[in-house]
Amino acid sequence: MEKFLEAIFNNILQIILLIIYSIFVWIYSHNLTILNSELIKLENSGWNTLEILGYKDYEAIWYFLYAILLGISGIIIIIVTINAFRKYLEGIMDLIINLIIILILIILLINVFKLISVPILKLIFTVFITGIGFMYASASK
Amino acid sequence: MNINKIKNIWIKTRKKRKAKTKVDVSKIKNMTEDEFLENYAKVKSSCEFYENILKYILGTITVSIITFLGYITYNLTTTYFSQYNLFTEEKKEIVSITYIISISIAVIVLISIIVCIYFYFKILKDKRFLLFIYEQIKEENKGARE
């Protein structure tokens, strides 16, 4: 028990970061799941891409930008954990705790990516490619 | 397990961790000549390795990403403002969304590059600090021998 507590205290910063990150991801995932189901319903009822993206004051685009921010901050927390793990490794408990932290972070990142990919990322890619096409086609005229 | 015991474990862990971050100068001074040489070579090569990563790899990646983003942003901005009035209402909306997403991604990538560079300099600072101590002790040993 003492060894376990020592390992917890040794990695306290990473654990706090993980908890804060998990809370953000949980709130984000919860709201995104609701939005995703609404967007899929709209898509099925015949709304076009632009109307779906513009739903609730472009909420889909905000969620996409939050996903990028969450992705980058997740990667930074993984780097911080690996760095601390190299510096302050004390024993097998530290190793296990750090591996669990990294594993949870990777699962959270995959979850964010999975939730954002359909339908928001798909819609954004469609609009993005069309937009770039319009801009350059009209510029080259 | 009472609260005092947990508090003691916390204090013990903090002390251990602090001791790991502190450079023990007396320990370096008490090293034999062979040990000192070996550690000095390790610290110096590690410092040079990180400096070279900064100079060549990180420098090239940062400059190329910033140039690429700058070029794309400039190109998109000029095209967007010069062509905006020619588009129909629907196209205007598509083009505006594309422009806003591109600029936001560019800003997020730039901020993350700054954060990575900050972490990198922090690592480099520790390496240079240790190298400086080793070099000072080396000078001291040289003076003592003469």
Side-chain angles (χ1 to χ4, degrees):
Chain A
M1 187 64 188
E2 200 173 310
K3 286 270 171 212
F4 178 68
L5 268 179
E6 268 182 33
I8 294 266
F9 287 144
N10 202 20
N11 297 294
I12 198 82
L13 177 71
Q14 289 90 287
I15 292 169
I16 290 171
L17 282 177
L18 177 72
I19 292 169
I20 295 170
Y21 186 74
S22 308
I23 292 170
F24 272 110
V25 172
W26 187 78
I27 295 169
Y28 175 81
S29 305
H30 178 71
N31 293 336
L32 188 57
T33 316
I34 297 168
L35 183 72
N36 273 350
S37 59
E38 284 174 16
L39 294 183
I40 289 168
K41 267 184 204 162
L42 295 177
E43 207 176 10
N44 291 338
S45 60
W47 285 38
N48 69 25
T49 315
L50 261 185
E51 284 169 338
I52 298 171
L53 275 185
Y55 179 66
K56 280 187 186 171
D57 277 336
Y58 297 97
E59 212 172 356
I61 294 175
W62 282 112
Y63 272 90
F64 172 67
L65 296 176
Y66 291 146
I68 297 177
L69 267 180
L70 279 175
I72 290 174
S73 46
I75 291 168
I76 289 173
I77 298 173
I78 291 178
I79 294 171
V80 168
T81 313
I82 293 172
N83 206 18
F85 164 71
R86 280 171 56 216
K87 257 187 187 171
Y88 307 111
L89 187 67
E90 280 279 320
I92 192 78
M93 273 294 178
D94 264 14
L95 187 80
I96 293 167
I97 285 176
N98 276 296
L99 286 178
I100 290 171
I101 291 173
I102 293 170
L103 201 72
I104 293 172
L105 282 168
I106 290 171
I107 292 169
L108 290 175
L109 280 174
I110 292 170
N111 179 48
V112 169
F113 182 75
K114 203 182 136 209
L115 281 173
I116 201 72
S117 57
V118 179
I120 295 176
L121 197 62
K122 194 184 82 185
L123 293 172
I124 283 176
F125 267 136
T126 315
V127 171
F128 196 80
I129 290 164
T130 322
I132 297 275
F134 281 155
M135 280 165 102
Y136 284 96
S138 112
S140 62
K141 266 180 195 171
Chain B
M1 198 177 269
N2 59 26
I3 200 84
N4 266 341
K5 208 171 177 187
I6 294 174
K7 202 177 154 190
N8 286 339
I9 296 171
W10 163 254
I11 293 166
K12 198 175 127 190
T13 321
R14 298 318 300 164
K15 269 185 187 168
K16 254 190 195 174
R17 212 179 145 114
K18 256 193 177 174
K20 274 202 169 184
T21 49
K22 265 188 184 173
V23 179
D24 198 349
V25 182
S26 59
K27 204 177 165 188
I28 301 171
K29 276 184 177 171
N30 292 332
M31 278 177 188
T32 62
E33 211 166 311
D34 288 346
E35 271 176 347
F36 180 81
L37 200 66
E38 199 185 324
N39 282 315
Y40 176 64
K42 265 185 198 167
V43 170
K44 196 168 183 180
S45 59
S46 153
C47 192
E48 275 174 4
F49 173 73
Y50 275 88
E51 276 176 354
N52 285 337
I53 286 183
L54 178 71
K55 260 189 226 159
Y56 302 115
I57 301 171
L58 205 69
T60 317
I61 291 172
T62 313
V63 169
S64 43
I65 289 178
I66 289 174
T67 316
F68 179 68
L69 286 178
Y71 174 73
I72 293 220
T73 313
Y74 171 75
N75 224 336
L76 273 177
T77 311
T78 47
T79 320
Y80 177 71
F81 285 109
S82 63
Q83 308 296 319
Y84 189 75
N85 292 325
L86 306 173
F87 294 131
T88 57
E89 280 306 309
E90 198 195 4
K91 277 186 183 175
K92 267 182 188 169
E93 205 172 342
I94 292 178
V95 167
S96 301
I97 291 173
T98 310
Y99 182 67
I100 290 165
I101 292 172
S102 318
I103 300 292
S104 314
I105 292 175
V107 170
I108 292 170
V109 170
L110 270 181
I111 292 169
S112 49
I113 287 176
I114 293 168
V115 172
C116 285
I117 290 175
Y118 167 76
F119 278 122
Y120 191 82
F121 272 104
K122 228 180 151 192
I123 295 173
L124 198 62
K125 188 195 85 185
D126 292 345
K127 301 272 173 196
R128 280 184 178 157
F129 172 69
L130 195 61
L131 183 67
F132 176 77
I133 288 174
Y134 267 92
E135 272 170 356
Q136 284 295 313
I137 294 171
K138 195 185 160 196
E139 287 295 311
E140 268 178 32
N141 289 348
K142 215 177 177 184
R145 244 184 272 148
E146 279 168 10

